[in-house]
Amino acid sequence: LFLLPLFFFNGMEAAFAWSDFTAEVVKPLLGEAYVPLVMMVFGGSNALSSALLGKAGGKGPRSARNLLVLGSLLQVVAVLLIWTGVVGESLASTGQRWFALLVIALVFGFADACLNTLTTALLAARFRSRHEHTVKLAFAHFKFWQSLATGAAFFYSAHVALPVKCAITIGSGALGLAGLMGSGV
């Protein structure tokens, strides 16, 4: 039950990275032609991080939890930098904008890998000794809440401004981290 906010945050952060980051940050700062390049960095970071985190997550629940906290905190900080305008029009040169957006894409990729790879590792470790039905139910809940959050974020995306989307993503991250810490995993 305590992990449900973390599952929800996973969906919110994914929608933010795929939609709001590309449409409202990358496109205005670099141009539409560069969105695929920035998202390739996101995808590469995500794939490499998933491979590395898969090995780290196998070292036990405590290691997985600590890395999950790190990834979530980095995600929240990156969104906070967008929200406060640190990453935005205040960056004078195109080189600064490129650097900032590529670093954020790397962070988003790492965080998304943490939230997917390590959450499943924690669920597997937590429910390993339980009945097979319980394990399936835990994974079903993860995917349900993740998908619900992604859908909700895409739904409200056209109706609210970027600062509100940032606040929602940061708030869901804070609740997700609180749930993770309260879960005893």
Side-chain angles (χ1 to χ4, degrees), residues 19-49:
S19 177
D20 304 318
F21 175 63
T22 57
E24 297 189 46
V25 181
V26 177
K27 184 179 173 183
L29 292 178
L30 298 177
E32 188 171 357
Y34 295 103
V35 170
L37 182 61
V38 172
M39 291 312 286
M40 282 177 22
V41 171
F42 167 86
S45 172
N46 192 297
L48 182 60
S49 297

Side-chain angles (χ1 to χ4, degrees), residues 122-133:
L122 283 176
L123 289 175
R126 183 168 180 96
F127 296 106
R128 179 179 298 139
S129 63
R130 306 257 172 98
H131 189 271
E132 182 181 338
H133 176 72

Side-chain angles (χ1 to χ4, degrees), residues 80-120:
L80 187 62
L81 291 174
I82 292 169
W83 186 17
T84 58
V86 171
V87 174
E89 297 292 333
S90 64
L91 298 172
S93 73
T94 303
Q96 290 174 329
R97 290 177 182 183
W98 266 107
F99 179 76
L101 293 177
L102 292 179
V103 167
I104 288 189
L106 285 168
V107 168
F108 281 178
F110 173 74
D112 189 66
C114 286
L115 284 160
N116 281 291
T117 306
L118 298 174
T119 299
T120 56

Side-chain angles (χ1 to χ4, degrees), residues 8-9 12 156 160 163-173:
F8 198 81
F9 172 55
M12 298 298 283
Y156 70 68
V160 297
V164 175
K165 296 173 201 177
C166 290
I168 291 169
T169 304
I170 291 168
S172 68

